[in-house]
Amino acid sequence: EAGVTQSPTHLIKTRGQQATLRCSPISGHTSVYWYQQALGLGLQFLLWYDEGEERNRGNFPPRFSGRQFPNYSSELNVNALELEDSALYLCASSLGGVGANVLTFGAGSRLTVL
Amino acid sequence: GNSVTQMEGPVTLSEEAFLTINCTYTATGYPSLFWYVQYPGEGLQLLLKATKADDKGSNKGFEATYRKETTSFHLEKGSVQVSDSAVYFCALRKGGGSNYKLTFGKGTLLTVNP
């Protein structure tokens, strides 16, 4: 069974540009979560999608946005990139709805903003 | 709100030493508790979990017991190996509806020397 896959593995952008990161969940999982892992800050929750709808959002500015497609894959967009957006972005998936306890994570996409 | 506090790292041990990584949490009610591990260059993997008070999660020689009275979920291993070198994250999952997400501690880097 394929795990959670993320692309690209690495991405280098300059300030002010836009970045798009992609995530494919485990087959059968309908929930997708995005986390930011910045150096020294641990994992910060970004977004949660379930059945195509945004269910919850972390404390991030609106230039962080995303969506979930009908096949449950997801995209994270970061507009007007700033230097402090440099981080590892982790996607996770789970069975849908409340009650699903286990998240399975992908290997992450490392975004570097110069 | 919900929060997780885990011991500051880094932790450096010799092979076969005993490991404890402390984790305490703040949450109302009865959250589910988790330990995730992140090996170098990889995403997070679920190590073990406990969903109710006094439950003991265990995997690969690691153990953690859900202590409601002390709001703790300390990770222990009797004899660590070099291959256990990784970052360990304590996490809780609490809430219903749109509040249902994982909250992580900042992570503890463990280095095991031969």
Side-chain angles (χ1 to χ4, degrees), chain B residues 21-79:
Chain B
I21 300 178
N22 290 336
C23 171
T24 57
Y25 67 88
T26 301
T28 57
Y30 296 89
S32 295
L33 301 173
F34 306 83
W35 278 99
Y36 278 82
V37 59
Q38 185 178 31
Y39 297 103
E42 300 183 12
L44 275 72
Q45 302 175 23
L46 177 66
L47 182 59
L48 53 84
K49 66 183 173 100
T51 57
K52 62 182 188 294
D54 300 325
D55 264 3
K56 177 185 284 188
S58 61
N59 186 27
K60 299 181 181 178
F62 291 89
E63 292 183 340
T65 301
Y66 187 163
R67 301 287 188 200
K68 179 69 176 173
E69 63 275 15
T70 54
T71 62
S72 66
F73 193 54
H74 305 320
L75 182 68
E76 296 182 338
K77 186 174 185 181
S79 176

Side-chain angles (χ1 to χ4, degrees), chain A residues 7 12 22 36 41 68 84 87 94 106:
Chain A
S7 64
I12 300 174
R22 297 179 178 83
Q36 182 195 64
L41 294 179
Q68 186 178 33
E84 53 265 33
S94 75

